[in-house]
Amino acid sequence: MDLKNFTSAIAQIAEEKGISAEKVIETIEQAIAAAYKKEYGLRGQKIKAKFNSKTGEIKFWQIKLVVDETMIYSEEELEALKEKFVPSTAGRKRPGREEFSSVKEVSCVEEEAKVRFNSERHIMLEDAKKINPKIKTGEEMETVLEAKSDYGRIAAQTAKQVIMQRIREEERNTIYQEYKSKEGEIISGIVQRIESGAVFMDIGRTIGILPREEQVPGEFYKPGERLKVYIIKVEETPKGPRIFLSRAYPKIISKLFELEVPEVAAGSVQIKSIAREAGSRSKIAVSSEVDGVDPIGSMVGQRGTRVGAVILELGGEKIDIVEWSENPEEYITNSLAPAKIIEVKIQPKNKAMAIIPEDQLSLAIGKEGQNVRLAAKLTGWKIDIRSPEKAEEEEKEKKKTAGKKEKKEKKEKKPRKKNPVK
């Protein structure tokens, strides 16, 4: 293969895998260095290769760490370490895995401070200064090696494995970084397969998982179906990134409205709070940040087109849009829509009583208490629903109880008459 075709192949790999051409070249350099070491190097050597993509020239260096006497183990210290960390195998078939892992961990900690001198990996400071007078301990010294172009089958196989492994690792890292930056966003995906209740979706460069608990009750997913999903979490694993998706997360609603309502995307209308029972009903509190902009009208759109598009994406889920207010009484009144409210009384311990006409009670409470439950979630207040008659009865009962309590307290505080001394 000539240089032009080789450069073209690098560009193609970079485009297919979604990684930079520089990373591909860096991977090739590591592979060539591994092949050189396999064919011509010695055990313990650290080889570096540099590939010039313009000329096709390859240069090699041997890397050695510059050390002094304080950085290397003496023979006595090495013997002491062997006795301390190497487990005894006497009287047993094989040392336990836990023992080996602990030995390895402690040894790694020790190596950070000192090293076991190896002439192929290390060079003493005094010897290094003969070559480069300005070099210091802890730095690396590069020694030019003779370039080779003839490699055996094993060395070529080693290079191939390094290239495949490094490109796979870089691809995984790129995918992880890409989707990690998209956490909290919605993306479009295609249902690929369903296994054990979990839905696996093609979301572009990888497969995302829609767990059972993040699915909307009553929704059925078919292979090939395109859906919008919310990225809730991205995890890095040895097998590659795992992207967890959701259709039930409340914030998917706000993200869908951002796509449909320009005022929300621009920030002139703000979604203050969301209460959702996925697949059934949601309530959204909105406010206008710009004078003259109707927040509810902006969300609904002309003839309900905007809210209709969101409802269609969510499979027909009902959405109530209410106006947010700093005033708790007004906010709670709005949240209980479509029911008409007579009065809202704020009580201690974050409680509120909503007084509602008799004919509006069922509407305010909703099917199985859903409307008042969502209103409580939306506002953050514990809401009690009462008819005017029931509220009046409770008020009289409270006054009666309070009167009895007051009389009792007065009676207890009244001083007793002392018996006259005879």
Side-chain angles (χ1 to χ4, degrees), residues 139-399:
E139 294 180 348
E140 289 184 337
M141 171 168 277
E142 297 181 355
T143 307
V144 179
L145 296 172
E146 184 186 351
K148 302 286 185 180
S149 57
D150 186 25
Y151 295 93
R153 183 180 59 83
I154 296 173
Q157 189 68 24
T158 302
K160 180 184 175 183
Q161 288 172 354
V162 170
I163 289 173
M164 291 177 67
Q165 182 184 346
R166 297 290 183 189
I167 287 179
R168 199 179 297 118
E169 286 173 1
E170 190 58 38
E171 185 183 11
R172 286 174 179 173
N173 184 56
T174 306
I175 292 170
Y176 172 77
Q177 295 297 336
E178 180 185 335
Y179 286 96
K180 188 71 177 174
S181 67
K182 290 181 180 178
E183 272 186 353
E185 299 293 329
I186 59 169
I187 56 170
S188 184
I190 299 170
V191 176
Q192 194 178 67
R193 66 184 192 278
I194 300 164
E195 290 180 8
S196 305
V199 179
F200 291 83
M201 300 185 71
D202 181 355
I203 54 173
R205 295 186 61 191
T206 187
I207 301 297
I209 304 167
L210 181 64
R212 188 194 294 270
E213 60 273 15
E214 295 297 336
Q215 296 170 20
V216 174
E219 262 191 355
F220 297 96
Y221 308 101
K222 302 173 186 175
E225 184 180 7
R226 184 177 286 276
L227 297 167
K228 284 189 172 67
V229 286
Y230 183 88
I231 301 177
I232 51 173
K233 186 171 61 173
V234 179
E235 288 182 353
E236 195 169 14
T237 69
K239 292 184 178 180
R242 294 186 73 188
I243 295 98
F244 292 94
L245 311 170
S246 177
R247 287 272 296 170
Y249 198 67
K251 277 195 175 180
I252 192 174
I253 295 177
S254 63
K255 293 295 178 182
L256 287 170
F257 272 110
E258 277 183 28
L259 295 176
E260 297 294 334
V261 183
E263 290 87 345
V264 174
S268 54
V269 172
Q270 202 170 56
I271 297 172
K272 292 285 190 177
S273 180
I274 299 172
R276 187 185 186 200
E277 291 186 1
S280 179
R281 191 174 181 180
S282 296
K283 282 183 181 284
I284 305 174
V286 295
S287 71
S288 175
E289 303 299 307
V290 178
D291 292 337
V293 176
D294 176 19
I296 295 177
S298 299
M299 298 288 282
V300 173
Q302 192 175 13
R303 296 181 182 177
T305 52
R306 291 174 177 177
V307 70
V310 176
I311 289 170
L312 186 65
E313 180 60 42
L314 295 174
E317 184 176 314
K318 293 177 183 176
I319 299 175
D320 296 338
I321 302 168
V322 303
E323 191 168 358
W324 179 85
S325 174
E326 289 183 355
N327 184 298
E329 290 93 340
E330 187 180 346
Y331 188 22
I332 291 167
T333 300
N334 295 342
S335 72
L336 286 166
K340 294 177 182 178
I341 315 299
I342 296 172
E343 185 187 2
V344 173
K345 293 181 180 179
I346 300 299
Q347 299 174 335
K349 297 182 181 178
N350 211 44
K351 290 182 179 179
M353 180 189 288
I355 300 170
I356 297 168
E358 195 75 41
D359 62 336
Q360 295 284 307
L361 280 174
S362 59
L363 195 61
I365 294 167
K367 188 179 178 181
E368 297 178 354
Q370 187 183 59
N371 192 59
V372 69
R373 187 167 61 247
L374 285 172
K377 284 181 185 177
L378 188 74
T379 60
W381 289 81
K382 295 175 184 176
I383 304 171
D384 286 332
I385 303 292
R386 294 288 184 271
S387 64
E389 295 79 10
K390 187 73 174 175
E392 195 176 339
E393 282 178 21
E394 287 185 5
E395 193 65 33
K396 285 179 181 178
E397 189 66 33
K398 277 184 183 179
K399 285 180 180 179

Side-chain angles (χ1 to χ4, degrees), residues 35-71:
Y36 187 98
K37 183 181 175 182
K38 190 77 175 176
E39 193 74 22
Y40 303 104
L42 299 173
R43 187 177 180 181
Q45 279 187 340
K46 187 178 179 182
I47 307 294
K48 174 186 171 184
K50 189 68 179 174
F51 171 70
N52 189 325
S53 58
K54 293 180 180 178
T55 63
E57 185 184 10
I58 303 172
K59 293 181 179 179
F60 296 92
W61 293 267
Q62 182 178 357
I63 309 297
K64 290 186 179 183
L65 180 68
V66 180
V67 296
D68 58 21
E69 293 292 343
T70 62
M71 294 173 67

Side-chain angles (χ1 to χ4, degrees), residues 6 10 23-33 49 51 163:
F6 187 73
I10 289 173
K23 285 289 181 184
V24 178
I25 292 172
E26 187 182 315
T27 299
I28 291 168
E29 288 173 347
Q30 291 171 349
I32 293 169
F51 171 70
I163 289 173

